[in-house]
Amino acid sequence: MNHDFSSCRELRDDLRDRVELFLIHAKAGNGKTYTARLLQKELEAKGYRVFEMPLARHMKNLLKDFFGYEDSKDYDGRKLLQNFGTNHIRNKFHVDFHIDTLINDMLIVSSYVRSDKIAIIVPDVRFENELLSLLWFGYSSDWETKSIYLISDYYDEIVADNEDLKKHPSEGEISVDFFSHVIYNGDNVKEQLEGLLDE
């Protein structure tokens, strides 16, 4: 992690104590998007201006704009995301490309909003370096940062039935020890999120 954000120190100082950061990690099909949307509703009810900012947002926009990607979760769609996001961007350009892009976007968006209650949800933390870099950035910026290890009894059938998808590095697990909260995506997930926010 060789991030140098000294050039935006003044901007980060202005955002201290105004932004809360939520990082979600889970296997495919475990409910990352669903949980992020529930969390967004809970935060908005508390008066927060909420932004869901996936690490894969920029990558998906490139694929949509130039390669006809339609955000499909079938085999071909998942294979394309794995190849483009990990094999091409992370491995051939820079392992922190998605992180650096996201952090810049977080600073740009949150500094534009005139609110003292801003929340950013990152619903797709897949790699250990992503989690650790975002935790470091959140803590060093004095943003209240909560990391969520989401588990479910369900696993995406497309990934489960295709060994090449299942064994791809993007479907690996991060040690639960790195996370501040473990949430089970069951009937009471809403109550678990409420408890997390009330801490």
Side-chain angles (χ1 to χ4, degrees):
M1 295 179 289
N2 297 315
H3 307 286
D4 179 14
F5 297 102
S6 56
S7 61
C8 50
R9 174 64 61 185
E10 184 177 336
L11 183 60
R12 290 171 68 198
D13 287 343
D14 183 58
L15 290 169
R16 290 186 190 282
D17 301 320
R18 291 176 51 209
V19 183
E20 295 190 24
L21 181 61
F22 298 86
L23 311 172
I24 301 175
H25 166 75
K27 285 187 169 292
N30 274 201
K32 294 185 292 292
T33 301
Y34 171 72
T35 302
R37 300 288 159 76
L38 283 180
L39 182 58
Q40 179 172 348
K41 288 182 180 179
E42 293 297 318
L43 286 162
E44 287 174 343
K46 293 178 177 290
Y48 283 81
R49 180 68 186 275
V50 185
F51 300 94
E52 183 181 325
M53 302 183 74
L55 277 153
R57 186 177 63 87
H58 184 65
M59 171 190 71
K60 287 184 177 181
N61 286 340
L62 288 176
L63 288 171
K64 289 174 184 176
D65 290 345
F66 302 115
F67 301 103
Y69 175 69
E70 296 180 352
D71 210 2
S72 171
K73 292 191 176 183
D74 61 9
Y75 175 85
D76 291 335
R78 290 197 177 277
K79 190 69 174 176
L80 176 60
L81 292 177
Q82 288 182 347
N83 282 332
F84 192 66
T86 302
N87 303 352
H88 187 62
I89 295 177
R90 276 177 57 96
N91 295 348
K92 292 186 178 179
F93 286 87
H94 199 281
V95 70
D96 289 335
F97 175 87
H98 301 299
I99 303 165
D100 293 339
T101 302
L102 173 64
I103 287 175
N104 284 324
D105 287 349
M106 290 193 304
L107 287 170
I108 290 168
V109 170
S110 56
S111 63
Y112 188 73
V113 177
R114 305 323 305 169
S115 172
D116 289 331
K117 297 179 74 173
I118 301 168
I120 296 173
I121 302 171
V122 183
D124 59 344
V125 179
R126 291 182 174 272
F127 294 93
E128 186 174 301
N129 74 304
E130 293 175 347
L131 176 66
L132 296 180
S133 294
L134 291 171
L135 286 173
W136 172 83
F137 179 78
Y139 295 144
S140 66
S141 301
D142 283 339
W143 292 5
E144 184 173 343
T145 303
K146 295 180 179 177
S147 51
I148 299 168
Y149 188 99
L150 181 66
I151 55 176
S152 171
D153 293 334
Y154 178 74
Y155 188 57
D156 184 88
E157 293 178 1
I158 298 294
V159 176
D161 293 341
N162 292 277
E163 286 298 312
D164 58 330
L165 296 180
K166 190 175 181 179
K167 292 182 178 179
H168 191 268
S170 64
E171 287 301 323
E173 284 194 64
I174 307 173
S175 172
V176 69
D177 295 333
F178 289 121
F179 292 84
S180 59
H181 296 80
V182 176
I183 288 183
Y184 175 69
N185 187 14
D187 293 338
N188 69 335
V189 63
K190 184 174 181 290
E191 288 76 11
Q192 292 177 75
L193 293 174
E194 290 173 351
L196 180 152
L197 295 179
D198 289 338
E199 292 179 355

